[in-house]
Amino acid sequence: MSREEPTPGLPRPVLVVAIALGALLAVSVAALGLYVQYVGDQEQQAREAAQKARRTGPLALPPIPAAEAGTPECAKVIAALPRDLRLGEAPVPRRALAEPVPPATVAWGDAEHDPVTVRCGIDAPAELTPTSKLVDISGVSWLEISEGGRSSWLAVDRPVYVALTVSADSGSGPVQDLSRILRDTLPKQPVFP
């Protein structure tokens, strides 16, 4: 008769602890996943709230040197700007500016669109040099300066410098519209007289 040898195995208490630790690990990983998702949702909501705040209410603009902002040329440009600005197919209304309001400055924007600003009479930009790459749009020479997802287009061939600042994804419509206004409002002059 053959005798079966007892098979060695884990003692019952060790087996129970191993199963309990495995279950605890699984629950912990699931809880961590839910927590990470919750934090991600909170961060997304905070980003959306910040974007909404940036797109509504009076727009605060930092002061910049604009010695020519009070000139008759800037008054003509500001008077010629449209009440609504077209961004793609959407008309975007003018937006109030926060105090202190920079002279010769207009902004457009709403909850769906990042702000667009026009400033007239600003000082010559340091980026404008005889070797700067200029772009001609509808007969107006522009210098584009891009930074942080925004582009500033500076009209450099008129009696005053005019800056258009838009979100980088705004398309070319605003700069084309402003080119036509400047072409029809202010005389062309050499970039470097």
Side-chain angles (χ1 to χ4, degrees):
M1 210 174 25
S2 78
R3 256 181 114 177
E4 287 186 32
E5 296 207 13
T7 57
L10 293 175
R12 183 172 288 257
V14 172
L15 189 57
V16 169
V17 169
I19 291 172
L21 284 176
L24 183 60
L25 178 62
V27 169
S28 297
V29 168
L32 181 61
L34 290 173
Y35 176 75
V36 167
Q37 182 179 358
Y38 171 78
V39 169
D41 290 346
Q42 293 298 312
E43 288 174 356
Q44 177 66 26
Q45 288 174 358
R47 281 192 297 272
E48 289 172 2
Q51 184 174 16
K52 183 177 179 185
R54 188 180 76 240
R55 290 180 171 179
T56 59
L59 178 63
L61 293 174
I64 61 170
E68 303 292 318
T71 63
E73 290 85 1
C74 282
K76 285 173 147 178
V77 169
I78 297 301
L81 294 174
R83 189 84 196 125
D84 291 331
L85 182 70
R86 292 203 76 68
L87 291 176
E89 296 301 314
V92 178
R94 281 204 187 179
R95 185 165 167 192
L97 296 173
E99 295 292 335
V101 174
T105 301
V106 172
W108 295 266
D110 60 19
E112 303 301 317
H113 300 91
D114 283 331
V116 174
T117 61
V118 170
R119 293 185 186 221
C120 186
I122 64 171
D123 291 357
E127 293 86 354
L128 181 61
T129 67
T131 59
S132 295
K133 180 182 171 192
L134 302 179
V135 179
D136 185 273
I137 300 173
S138 299
V140 177
S141 293
W142 294 92
L143 172 65
E144 181 184 15
I145 302 169
S146 295
E147 182 179 325
R150 300 199 51 80
S151 290
S152 289
W153 292 84
L154 295 110
V156 296
D157 65 346
R158 303 296 143 164
V160 290
Y161 293 108
V162 180
L164 168 72
T165 302
V166 296
S167 153
D169 62 356
S170 292
S172 63
V175 73
Q176 289 174 346
D177 292 344
L178 186 55
S179 291
R180 286 189 287 277
I181 291 168
L182 293 178
R183 183 191 63 210
D184 296 343
T185 306
L186 299 177
K188 188 173 185 76
Q189 68 180 32
V191 175
F192 296 101

